[in-house]
Amino acid sequence: MFRSPFMNAVIEMAEECRNGEVPVAAAIVFEGKIVAISTNDVETSGIPWRHAEFVAISEALKKLGVRYLDKASLYVTLEPCAFCSAAIEKVRMRDIFFGAYDTKCGAIAHTIRLFDHSMVKPRIIGGIQEERCSSILRKFFGKMRSTGKRNVIEDEVEQSFDDAWSVLEAGSR
């Protein structure tokens, strides 16, 4: 079984996701060190492409002052989607290590299988601590379905509305 402290770091980060973000985390490793690590930032930023991989890639490019990450590795808890896979291809990532497979939106081992058709041929290892990564996502979506809420931000907005309404009602008495 493939074990890595870098994979453990992204899994732990995914487990700590809050604010209604889908719990996916990614890290860019260069010369044996994590140079960027992030979680999804879609709900918080309101920007639909702020996936963990995209954020980590952007941070790594900036931090390293390079255009390509051809000597770097990506560790991520979920198989990257088509958008993230294209970003990974554009920066010529050397290695991709991911946890859970994504049969609906994953673009590495599923759907378009982007690297089967690319000149960029990273080393790809999927299914790393797959059960642990899948479990994080199952818990998140299970909670979302059981509460009928899209995310925790809805809870916070609803609570703020309830608080404001209580103040208005109290003032009108």
Side-chain angles (χ1 to χ4, degrees):
M1 180 188 297
F2 184 90
R3 290 272 181 205
S4 164
F6 306 124
M7 196 65 186
N8 288 336
V10 293
I11 291 171
E12 288 168 13
M13 195 163 187
E15 289 172 333
E16 297 301 317
C17 276
R18 299 289 179 266
N19 298 327
E21 297 292 352
V22 175
V24 175
I28 306 296
V29 175
F30 179 74
E31 295 182 347
K33 294 182 180 122
I34 293 176
V35 294
I37 188 165
S38 66
T39 59
N40 278 355
D41 187 40
V42 172
E43 300 300 326
T44 305
S45 70
I47 301 171
W49 60 80
R50 299 265 310 160
H51 292 187
E53 303 94 309
F54 185 80
V55 175
I57 288 168
S58 299
E59 289 175 9
L61 290 170
K62 188 174 183 178
K63 184 174 184 178
L64 295 171
V66 297
R67 185 173 178 180
Y68 300 109
L69 296 172
D70 54 336
K71 294 180 176 76
S73 301
L74 169 72
Y75 290 80
V76 62
T77 55
L78 181 64
E79 177 183 351
C81 69
F83 177 81
C84 292
S85 294
I88 292 163
E89 177 188 37
K90 293 299 177 201
V91 298
R92 304 175 186 171
M93 193 75 63
R94 182 184 65 194
D95 307 299
I96 304 167
F97 303 102
F98 66 89
Y101 287 92
D102 185 348
T103 59
K104 293 180 183 176
C105 296
I108 292 179
H110 297 91
T111 65
I112 65 169
R113 300 178 61 94
L114 182 109
F115 293 101
D116 287 357
H117 314 283
S118 172
M119 289 176 52
V120 176
K121 300 291 184 192
R123 175 174 61 152
I124 300 168
I125 300 176
I128 302 166
Q129 297 189 50
E130 182 179 6
E131 182 49 41
R132 187 171 171 201
C133 293
S134 295
S135 174
I136 296 166
L137 292 161
R138 274 194 307 274
K139 285 178 191 170
F140 172 80
F141 287 111
K143 180 178 179 186
M144 190 174 81
R145 285 184 198 100
S146 71
T147 62
K149 306 238 185 217
R150 169 63 182 100
N151 59 45
V152 210
I153 293 172
E154 282 185 24
D155 290 338
E156 293 166 5
V157 169
E158 188 174 294
Q159 185 60 48
S160 297
F161 178 78
D162 289 346
D163 292 346
W165 189 256
S166 298
V167 170
L168 288 173
E169 282 183 325
S172 65
R173 289 184 195 158

